Amino acid sequence: MVIRLASLLLATAGALVGSPAAAQFAKTEDAISYRQSAMFIQNQHFGRIAAMANGRAPFDAAAAAANAEIVATVSKLPWPAFGAGTEGGKARPEIWKEQAKFKELNEKLQAETSKLQVVAKGGDLAAIKAQVGVVGETCKACHDDFRKK
C-alpha cells in the first residue's frame, strides 16, 4: 500500500514538474485544494515519524523509513500550485510578493526531507529524532511567514 502510494505520488510529481501551474489548474480553487491536500498528506506522514521520534509511538524503523519516503516525495508536490493567480486559501499574499524567499524555503524543505529519508533508512532513532527537529523547524519557518494563522 505504502509503495503503491509512493509510486503514484512520484508519477504525479514527475507529471507536474514539467507543466506550468496555469496549465495544471483550471480554477484557482483547484490549485488551493491541491496544495492543501499535498500539505495534509505530508503532515500525516511526518507526524507518524515525529510521534516515534518523540516517544509518543513505538519506534518501527521500517515504518519510519516508509513514511520518510512519502514525506520526501510529497514535499515536492505543493509548489506548482502556488503560481500566479492562485492566491487564497491558507496562503498569505506575501508568497506572491516575496517569491525568492518562498522559493528558498521550498527548496530547503525538499533538501531536509530528503535528508530525513536517508536518515530514516539507516534506522538510527537518535539521528531520525535530530532530523525530525530540523524538518519541523523548516516547516515552521515557512508557516510563520507565509501561512495564515
Side-chain angles (χ1 to χ4, degrees):
M1 173 76 174
V2 171
I3 293 173
R4 189 177 343 172
L5 176 61
S7 297
L8 175 63
L9 291 172
L10 283 171
T12 302
L16 293 176
V17 170
S19 304
Q24 294 173 34
F25 305 104
K27 298 182 279 187
T28 298
E29 297 80 26
D30 294 343
I32 293 168
S33 177
Y34 177 87
R35 67 186 181 230
Q36 288 178 345
S37 296
M39 295 284 190
F40 176 82
I41 291 168
Q42 182 174 290
N43 184 52
Q44 292 299 304
H45 291 277
F46 181 71
R48 293 171 187 168
I49 303 165
M52 287 184 251
N54 296 322
R56 293 187 319 266
F59 180 63
D60 177 334
N67 281 288
E69 183 175 339
I70 293 169
V71 169
T73 299
V74 175
S75 74
K76 298 173 180 94
L77 298 180
W79 315 113
F82 285 100
T86 65
E87 294 85 345
K90 295 178 182 178
R92 294 169 77 187
E94 287 79 6
I95 288 172
W96 292 270
K97 294 175 186 168
E98 300 176 35
Q99 282 286 301
K101 182 177 180 182
F102 185 65
K103 182 179 183 204
E104 179 183 321
L105 290 170
N106 156 16
E107 290 170 352
K108 183 172 183 185
L109 176 66
Q110 290 180 43
E112 296 303 340
T113 58
S114 290
K115 290 176 189 175
L116 177 62
Q117 181 180 14
V118 170
V119 168
K121 284 181 182 176
D124 179 352
L125 181 57
I128 293 168
K129 185 174 183 171
Q131 190 59 27
V132 162
V134 173
V135 172
E137 286 300 315
T138 304
C139 292
K140 182 182 182 317
C142 194
H143 286 190
D144 286 348
D145 291 341
F146 296 114
R147 184 175 189 233
K148 291 178 183 175
K149 307 292 182 218

mmCIF file of all heavy atoms in Angstrom, residues 60-84:
data_model
loop_
_atom_site.group_PDB
_atom_site.id
_atom_site.type_symbol
_atom_site.label_atom_id
_atom_site.label_comp_id
_atom_site.label_asym_id
_atom_site.label_seq_id
_atom_site.Cartn_x
_atom_site.Cartn_y
_atom_site.Cartn_z
ATOM 1 N N ASP A 60 9.390 2.056 15.004
ATOM 2 C CA ASP A 60 9.356 0.998 13.994
ATOM 3 C C ASP A 60 10.193 1.521 12.834
ATOM 4 O O ASP A 60 9.753 2.402 12.087
ATOM 5 C CB ASP A 60 7.913 0.733 13.578
ATOM 6 C CG ASP A 60 7.762 -0.305 12.474
ATOM 7 O OD1 ASP A 60 8.710 -0.497 11.678
ATOM 8 O OD2 ASP A 60 6.675 -0.908 12.383
ATOM 9 N N ALA A 61 11.402 1.000 12.700
ATOM 10 C CA ALA A 61 12.339 1.502 11.692
ATOM 11 C C ALA A 61 11.772 1.416 10.278
ATOM 12 O O ALA A 61 11.935 2.347 9.482
ATOM 13 C CB ALA A 61 13.666 0.753 11.785
ATOM 14 N N ALA A 62 11.105 0.323 9.959
ATOM 15 C CA ALA A 62 10.539 0.157 8.613
ATOM 16 C C ALA A 62 9.440 1.187 8.353
ATOM 17 O O ALA A 62 9.361 1.770 7.268
ATOM 18 C CB ALA A 62 10.005 -1.252 8.426
ATOM 19 N N ALA A 63 8.594 1.412 9.342
ATOM 20 C CA ALA A 63 7.525 2.404 9.189
ATOM 21 C C ALA A 63 8.101 3.817 9.080
ATOM 22 O O ALA A 63 7.616 4.628 8.284
ATOM 23 C CB ALA A 63 6.556 2.317 10.361
ATOM 24 N N ALA A 64 9.127 4.102 9.858
ATOM 25 C CA ALA A 64 9.770 5.418 9.778
ATOM 26 C C ALA A 64 10.343 5.638 8.385
ATOM 27 O O ALA A 64 10.156 6.712 7.786
ATOM 28 C CB ALA A 64 10.858 5.547 10.840
ATOM 29 N N ALA A 65 11.015 4.635 7.846
ATOM 30 C CA ALA A 65 11.600 4.751 6.511
ATOM 31 C C ALA A 65 10.522 4.918 5.439
ATOM 32 O O ALA A 65 10.654 5.754 4.539
ATOM 33 C CB ALA A 65 12.476 3.545 6.210
ATOM 34 N N ALA A 66 9.454 4.147 5.541
ATOM 35 C CA ALA A 66 8.373 4.241 4.556
ATOM 36 C C ALA A 66 7.701 5.611 4.611
ATOM 37 O O ALA A 66 7.424 6.222 3.566
ATOM 38 C CB ALA A 66 7.343 3.133 4.796
ATOM 39 N N ASN A 67 7.450 6.098 5.813
ATOM 40 C CA ASN A 67 6.824 7.409 5.947
ATOM 41 C C ASN A 67 7.760 8.523 5.484
ATOM 42 O O ASN A 67 7.324 9.488 4.855
ATOM 43 C CB ASN A 67 6.362 7.637 7.383
ATOM 44 C CG ASN A 67 5.060 6.931 7.662
ATOM 45 O OD1 ASN A 67 4.016 7.323 7.192
ATOM 46 N ND2 ASN A 67 5.130 5.851 8.422
ATOM 47 N N ALA A 68 9.048 8.397 5.759
ATOM 48 C CA ALA A 68 10.015 9.408 5.323
ATOM 49 C C ALA A 68 10.094 9.460 3.800
ATOM 50 O O ALA A 68 10.245 10.547 3.217
ATOM 51 C CB ALA A 68 11.382 9.117 5.926
ATOM 52 N N GLU A 69 9.971 8.325 3.161
ATOM 53 C CA GLU A 69 9.976 8.289 1.694
ATOM 54 C C GLU A 69 8.777 9.067 1.146
ATOM 55 O O GLU A 69 8.912 9.853 0.198
ATOM 56 C CB GLU A 69 9.942 6.849 1.198
ATOM 57 C CG GLU A 69 10.024 6.738 -0.309
ATOM 58 C CD GLU A 69 10.122 5.296 -0.784
ATOM 59 O OE1 GLU A 69 10.511 4.418 -0.013
ATOM 60 O OE2 GLU A 69 9.812 5.086 -1.958
ATOM 61 N N ILE A 70 7.630 8.873 1.740
ATOM 62 C CA ILE A 70 6.432 9.598 1.294
ATOM 63 C C ILE A 70 6.593 11.088 1.556
ATOM 64 O O ILE A 70 6.280 11.913 0.692
ATOM 65 C CB ILE A 70 5.168 9.023 1.969
ATOM 66 C CG1 ILE A 70 4.928 7.601 1.471
ATOM 67 C CG2 ILE A 70 3.960 9.916 1.703
ATOM 68 C CD1 ILE A 70 3.883 6.836 2.242
ATOM 69 N N VAL A 71 7.098 11.450 2.724
ATOM 70 C CA VAL A 71 7.297 12.865 3.053
ATOM 71 C C VAL A 71 8.227 13.519 2.037
ATOM 72 O O VAL A 71 7.949 14.619 1.538
ATOM 73 C CB VAL A 71 7.833 13.034 4.495
ATOM 74 C CG1 VAL A 71 8.282 14.457 4.756
ATOM 75 C CG2 VAL A 71 6.767 12.626 5.509
ATOM 76 N N ALA A 72 9.327 12.854 1.712
ATOM 77 C CA ALA A 72 10.281 13.416 0.750
ATOM 78 C C ALA A 72 9.641 13.592 -0.625
ATOM 79 O O ALA A 72 9.864 14.602 -1.298
ATOM 80 C CB ALA A 72 11.526 12.537 0.657
ATOM 81 N N THR A 73 8.832 12.650 -1.029
ATOM 82 C CA THR A 73 8.159 12.739 -2.325
ATOM 83 C C THR A 73 7.110 13.846 -2.318
ATOM 84 O O THR A 73 7.080 14.693 -3.212
ATOM 85 C CB THR A 73 7.494 11.389 -2.678
ATOM 86 O OG1 THR A 73 8.508 10.390 -2.748
ATOM 87 C CG2 THR A 73 6.748 11.473 -3.990
ATOM 88 N N VAL A 74 6.277 13.837 -1.308
ATOM 89 C CA VAL A 74 5.178 14.808 -1.251
ATOM 90 C C VAL A 74 5.695 16.231 -1.058
ATOM 91 O O VAL A 74 5.050 17.186 -1.493
ATOM 92 C CB VAL A 74 4.155 14.410 -0.162
ATOM 93 C CG1 VAL A 74 3.071 15.456 0.002
ATOM 94 C CG2 VAL A 74 3.514 13.078 -0.514
ATOM 95 N N SER A 75 6.875 16.393 -0.467
ATOM 96 C CA SER A 75 7.407 17.742 -0.263
ATOM 97 C C SER A 75 7.643 18.468 -1.578
ATOM 98 O O SER A 75 7.725 19.699 -1.603
ATOM 99 C CB SER A 75 8.711 17.696 0.545
ATOM 100 O OG SER A 75 9.787 17.216 -0.237
ATOM 101 N N LYS A 76 7.683 17.750 -2.676
ATOM 102 C CA LYS A 76 7.886 18.352 -3.993
ATOM 103 C C LYS A 76 6.571 18.768 -4.664
ATOM 104 O O LYS A 76 6.586 19.521 -5.637
ATOM 105 C CB LYS A 76 8.613 17.365 -4.898
ATOM 106 C CG LYS A 76 9.989 16.980 -4.405
ATOM 107 C CD LYS A 76 10.582 15.877 -5.263
ATOM 108 C CE LYS A 76 11.944 15.478 -4.783
ATOM 109 N NZ LYS A 76 11.953 14.349 -3.879
ATOM 110 N N LEU A 77 5.463 18.299 -4.175
ATOM 111 C CA LEU A 77 4.194 18.467 -4.883
ATOM 112 C C LEU A 77 3.494 19.826 -4.762
ATOM 113 O O LEU A 77 2.935 20.287 -5.745
ATOM 114 C CB LEU A 77 3.213 17.363 -4.465
ATOM 115 C CG LEU A 77 3.638 15.938 -4.797
ATOM 116 C CD1 LEU A 77 2.580 14.956 -4.319
ATOM 117 C CD2 LEU A 77 3.892 15.772 -6.276
ATOM 118 N N PRO A 78 3.473 20.479 -3.613
ATOM 119 C CA PRO A 78 2.624 21.670 -3.491
ATOM 120 C C PRO A 78 3.049 22.872 -4.328
ATOM 121 O O PRO A 78 2.218 23.689 -4.710
ATOM 122 C CB PRO A 78 2.709 22.040 -2.006
ATOM 123 C CG PRO A 78 3.253 20.860 -1.326
ATOM 124 C CD PRO A 78 4.048 20.100 -2.328
ATOM 125 N N TRP A 79 4.316 22.990 -4.634
ATOM 126 C CA TRP A 79 4.864 24.246 -5.140
ATOM 127 C C TRP A 79 4.329 24.707 -6.487
ATOM 128 O O TRP A 79 4.103 25.901 -6.661
ATOM 129 C CB TRP A 79 6.396 24.162 -5.093
ATOM 130 C CG TRP A 79 6.778 23.576 -3.772
ATOM 131 C CD1 TRP A 79 7.354 22.368 -3.555
ATOM 132 C CD2 TRP A 79 6.495 24.113 -2.470
ATOM 133 N NE1 TRP A 79 7.475 22.128 -2.194
ATOM 134 C CE2 TRP A 79 6.949 23.186 -1.507
ATOM 135 C CE3 TRP A 79 5.902 25.294 -2.020
ATOM 136 C CZ2 TRP A 79 6.853 23.391 -0.135
ATOM 137 C CZ3 TRP A 79 5.798 25.496 -0.653
ATOM 138 C CH2 TRP A 79 6.267 24.559 0.269
ATOM 139 N N PRO A 80 4.048 23.838 -7.460
ATOM 140 C CA PRO A 80 3.453 24.330 -8.706
ATOM 141 C C PRO A 80 2.063 24.939 -8.496
ATOM 142 O O PRO A 80 1.598 25.723 -9.310
ATOM 143 C CB PRO A 80 3.363 23.082 -9.584
ATOM 144 C CG PRO A 80 4.396 22.149 -9.038
ATOM 145 C CD PRO A 80 4.417 22.419 -7.554
ATOM 146 N N ALA A 81 1.426 24.604 -7.393
ATOM 147 C CA ALA A 81 0.081 25.122 -7.112
ATOM 148 C C ALA A 81 0.121 26.499 -6.450
ATOM 149 O O ALA A 81 -0.904 26.997 -5.995
ATOM 150 C CB ALA A 81 -0.688 24.132 -6.249
ATOM 151 N N PHE A 82 1.280 27.120 -6.384
ATOM 152 C CA PHE A 82 1.418 28.472 -5.857
ATOM 153 C C PHE A 82 1.740 29.454 -6.979
ATOM 154 O O PHE A 82 2.362 30.484 -6.746
ATOM 155 C CB PHE A 82 2.520 28.535 -4.787
ATOM 156 C CG PHE A 82 2.133 27.935 -3.471
ATOM 157 C CD1 PHE A 82 2.540 26.658 -3.130
ATOM 158 C CD2 PHE A 82 1.365 28.648 -2.569
ATOM 159 C CE1 PHE A 82 2.194 26.100 -1.901
ATOM 160 C CE2 PHE A 82 1.008 28.099 -1.336
ATOM 161 C CZ PHE A 82 1.430 26.831 -1.012
ATOM 162 N N GLY A 83 1.326 29.154 -8.186
ATOM 163 C CA GLY A 83 1.600 30.025 -9.320
ATOM 164 C C GLY A 83 0.777 31.301 -9.280
ATOM 165 O O GLY A 83 -0.132 31.470 -8.461
ATOM 166 N N ALA A 84 1.104 32.196 -10.183
ATOM 167 C CA ALA A 84 0.354 33.452 -10.298
ATOM 168 C C ALA A 84 -1.125 33.149 -10.515
ATOM 169 O O ALA A 84 -1.481 32.228 -11.250
ATOM 170 C CB ALA A 84 0.905 34.271 -11.461
#
